[in-house]
Amino acid sequence: MNEQFSKKSEAWSARFSEPVSDLVKRYTASVFFDHRLASVDIQGSLAHAEMLAHQKIISAQDYADIQRGMAQIQSEIADGKFEWLLDLEDVHLNIEKRLTELVGDAGKRLHTGRSRNDQVATDIRLYLRAAIDDIAALLRALRVALVDLAEKNADTILPGFTHMQVAQPVTFGHHILAYVEMFGRDAERMADCRKRVNRLPLGSAALAGTTFPIDRERVAKTLGFEDVCHNSLDAVSDRDFAIEFCAASALIMTHISRLSEELVIWMSPRVGFIDIADRFCTGSSIMPQKKNPDVPELARGKTGRVNGHLVALLTLMKAQPLAYNKDNQEDKEPLFDTVDTVIDTLRIFADMAGGITVKPAPMRQAALQGYATATDLADYLVKKGLPFRDAHEAVAHAVRACEQRGCDLAELSTEELRQFSELIGPDVHQVLTLEGSVAARDHVGGTAPEQVRLAIQRVRNLLA
Ligand code: ARG
């Protein structure tokens, strides 16, 4: 156990005849991990105390003492001098105890009209709201970096794949913009989740509300919450907002993981489409030739833990009767780890996107293989009047002939191509080029360089 958390034994209160065993104490304590809520806990307490004073439930002097004590506690924590005690179970009791040491009875009055149940629910919401704002900024930075990469490669052609087989040529800019769309939806999901996070549970007390004449709207306003939670039982017990956050995070990581998978494939020497700056790669302890894409691989791996945290929270919640149960203490570690993982990953990816070197020549070479323009030939025949199914069949014969000869469609002469359809004329070679193929997909959402530039402009306007 962490040395930072000292112990001293005492029974919980006069209600108890003996102290809990050390093992139980360690088992039930959360201070090892929830001390990271300290600053939001203090913020919530100050808002609560301000309201108590305003409502004349405590005196102005008590409130001033609480403010003074909390300021001191903040600086003790910042300086690493605060003594976190395992015996005091969690962040809330540790801070309250120290406050009482510092300011006496005013500290003991702070908990009037409040319970740790509504206190902790408030803390998590304050913590998550700040985390969501950080994540939103990082998603934005990542999208800007990806848009820059897309812009530099609006005309760079590579094969687009379906079933991991060359399908049709696409522009690299278009490919990267697909991820910009995904991360855009992730940002929308976070913004939507924020609305439900941003409600105040405080005032619900243990579960039923309080007998004191509190002003919940006042506290909500002080803490920047959009509204109060409207049912005390619900407010202290449900963690659906945290589950929703984990679901939105799991989707961010899923998108990161898909991008990672592509980066790993593209960087493989067998493919060689890109290089990733050395600062994101590591070598091998035995094979001197290696430069491994560790960052994308790790991100792909860390997606597993974030997905796991989502399942952990869903499972934590599913069998809890109303209202608060100690099960909910287990919400914190998955939540904290989700926040840390998503924030670190997004920060690294926003930076790494600028460290990607695109290699147009191998991309082009790959696009020239695999009959990537076969659909263009079929479309050409359709435009000359052949029904699409017949065109599909004619091109299938042409591809088969090319396979036997070991060449690409574009390498066949007009005469050779005419064996497969009389409708083919010399203008066919334009549609069989990679440039012709991508330029022809010139509509909203298409891969044409012109459309890529328009899409980039659209996203830049959204991000401005
Ligand atoms: N540490 C607790 C938690 O994280 C605080 C609430 C404790 N409430 C209680 N009734 N034991 O949920």
Side-chain angles (χ1 to χ4, degrees), residues 26-310:
R26 226 182 325 127
Y27 195 72
T28 53
S30 55
V31 65
F32 324 107
F33 47 85
D34 69 13
H35 66 93
R36 82 145 82 181
L37 294 173
S39 73
V40 286
D41 193 67
I42 292 171
Q43 194 189 346
S45 289
L46 288 173
H48 177 68
E50 192 277 339
M51 179 277 290
L52 292 178
H54 184 263
Q55 298 297 99
K56 308 229 174 336
I57 300 167
I58 62 173
S59 69
Q61 184 58 51
D62 282 337
Y63 174 46
D65 288 347
I66 289 169
Q67 280 181 300
R68 178 171 51 81
M70 287 301 197
Q72 158 123 17
I73 291 172
Q74 279 278 28
S75 65
E76 287 177 2
I77 293 171
D79 299 344
K81 293 196 180 120
F82 191 90
E83 199 192 1
W84 296 104
L85 295 172
L86 175 66
D87 270 355
L88 295 174
E89 198 180 293
D90 58 24
V91 61
H92 323 290
L93 294 178
N94 268 271
I95 289 177
E96 192 185 322
K97 187 69 186 276
R98 178 72 184 134
L99 181 69
T100 303
E101 271 170 24
L102 291 170
V103 305
D105 282 355
K108 293 188 201 161
R109 292 198 180 101
L110 171 63
H111 214 50
T112 311
R114 183 177 80 166
S115 150
R116 278 187 298 157
N117 298 350
D118 57 344
Q119 185 178 356
V120 71
T122 303
D123 288 6
I124 302 169
R125 284 169 184 265
L126 287 171
Y127 163 83
L128 256 191
R129 188 177 69 187
I132 288 172
D133 292 345
D134 288 347
I135 289 170
L138 288 169
L139 279 170
R140 192 181 175 287
L142 175 57
R143 291 176 84 208
V144 168
L146 290 175
V147 166
D148 290 345
L149 181 63
E151 188 156 52
K152 279 189 227 136
N153 293 283
D155 299 281
T156 310
I157 296 176
L158 81 164
F161 294 86
T162 59
H163 314 278
M164 282 295 279
Q165 298 180 22
V166 170
Q168 292 171 356
V170 293
T171 49
F172 190 66
H174 190 59
H175 196 115
I176 290 300
L177 286 179
Y179 287 98
V180 172
E181 290 294 302
M182 295 179 224
F183 294 123
R185 291 194 297 277
D186 289 332
E188 285 176 19
R189 263 185 288 274
M190 279 290 166
D192 201 58
C193 172
R194 191 187 193 280
K195 292 182 209 157
R196 284 175 289 280
V197 167
N198 204 22
R199 305 277 162 82
L200 176 77
L202 214 59
S204 304
L207 75 165
T210 174
T211 56
F212 293 95
I214 56 171
D215 181 349
R216 298 188 64 206
E217 278 74 21
R218 186 177 181 88
V219 180
K221 200 156 169 240
T222 309
L223 294 174
F225 284 110
E226 277 164 51
D227 198 356
V228 299
C229 299
H230 287 273
N231 181 291
S232 62
L233 296 162
D234 173 45
V236 294
S237 65
D238 206 349
R239 296 289 183 265
D240 58 354
F241 62 90
I243 295 173
E244 220 183 311
F245 170 81
C246 284
S249 296
L251 279 169
I252 292 176
M253 290 303 292
T254 297
H255 292 150
I256 286 277
S257 186
R258 295 187 69 193
L259 175 57
S260 297
E261 175 78 4
E262 301 220 82
L263 295 176
V264 170
I265 292 172
W266 292 341
M267 199 180 141
S268 151
R270 278 177 171 256
V271 177
F273 285 1
I274 61 159
D275 201 7
I276 296 179
D278 286 359
R279 65 183 186 281
F280 302 103
C281 301
T282 60
S284 155
S285 58
I286 179 170
M287 297 168 284
Q289 83 280 17
K290 300 278 266 182
K291 178 179 151 185
N292 299 326
D294 285 33
V295 166
E297 287 176 7
L298 258 179
R300 197 173 58 188
K302 283 175 188 290
T303 305
R305 70 201 274 164
V306 172
N307 289 352
H309 295 327
L310 168 62

